[in-house]
Amino acid sequence: MEIESGTAKVNGTELYYEIGGSGPTLVLISGLGQNALAWNTVVAAFRKDYRVLVFDNRGTGRSAVPPGPYSIDQMADDTAALIRHLGIGPVAVVGWSMGGSILQSLLIRHGDLLRAGVLLNALPNYTKVQHYWLDGLIALRRSEAPPEAKVALSMPWAISSLVLADHERTAEWVQHVLANPWPTTNDGFEAQAAGLRVYDSLPHLGQVSTPALVLVGADDVLTPVAQASQIARAIPGADLEVMGKGGHSMVLDYPQDVHRIITTWLSRNDPASC
């Protein structure tokens, strides 16, 4: 399968992207501090039925790291500009975690570019606990702790307990994270984090008219089911699905289940897939 890759200067910054596969276009938006590699467990499966665009948000991977902070609306404008630059709209979009916040901004402000949206382990605004978590994570990233310890200490917020209890598998994931050839700098991470922690979509979600699925794992302790329910109630006609297993990073925990749920829903609700 041929994968096109490149960089595009859009919305004032250079973004790295890869696009490939066959079928209607599907865009995958990564979470806080994550680059396009975050989707590696599912991207090949999606490319069997879709032309899939993955990219590095500003501040991560092979994209530029301009001075922060970055707002969620700014990163949504980056995504919209990239879609327009590539001439691929309207598109279906899956946004995971912070990517779900970016997707909410797209749904609110760039609805003409979207056919359907899947909000995966997303949140409408930050809770006190999420602020505590982010403060701790930033301090940990800045610390002199061993790299393995930094990754391992963050994993209970992301990986479900069933997977986390398998120490051999968890240790493999730690090494997998550390093997990322384009790790996010503290500057890039904190620039994204500054925008995420102040974003609040709830006042505007009522104006969304794009078909939307809000998908969350029952074991997600970072962006729990209650927050997914808030989003689903606020978006007119949105569907809410709670997967019976899987934490915040259930794309890593249970990739086949996540892929199946998303593609099944898109086949019923994305006009280009019907």
Side-chain angles (χ1 to χ4, degrees), residues 6-17 53 55-59 63-66 73-88 110 113:
T7 59
K9 187 164 187 179
V10 294
N11 198 32
T13 194
E14 291 278 348
L15 296 185
Y16 174 81
Y17 68 89
L53 169 66
F55 66 100
D56 297 337
N57 290 310
R58 63 168 65 206
S63 290
V65 188
D73 285 344
Q74 184 179 34
M75 289 187 280
D77 290 348
D78 291 347
T79 308
L82 181 60
I83 292 168
R84 291 190 175 100
H85 174 82
L86 296 173
I88 57 175
H110 299 284
L113 290 177

Side-chain angles (χ1 to χ4, degrees), residues 88-158:
I88 57 175
V91 297
V93 181
V94 180
W96 173 12
S97 193
M98 184 191 75
S101 296
I102 294 170
L103 175 51
Q104 287 170 79
S105 180
L106 283 169
L107 288 165
I108 294 164
R109 302 171 66 249
H110 299 284
D112 60 308
L113 290 177
L114 275 64
R115 302 187 313 264
V118 178
L119 297 143
L120 175 64
N121 298 102
L123 67 155
N125 49 37
Y126 251 43
T127 65
K128 287 183 179 180
V129 169
Q130 286 160 339
H131 282 292
Y132 301 155
W133 166 81
L134 184 55
D135 289 340
L137 184 56
I138 289 173
L140 179 63
R141 288 178 61 93
R142 292 174 177 170
S143 77
E144 297 300 320
E148 293 83 359
K150 293 180 182 182
V151 176
L153 285 171
S154 68
M155 292 188 78
W157 288 96

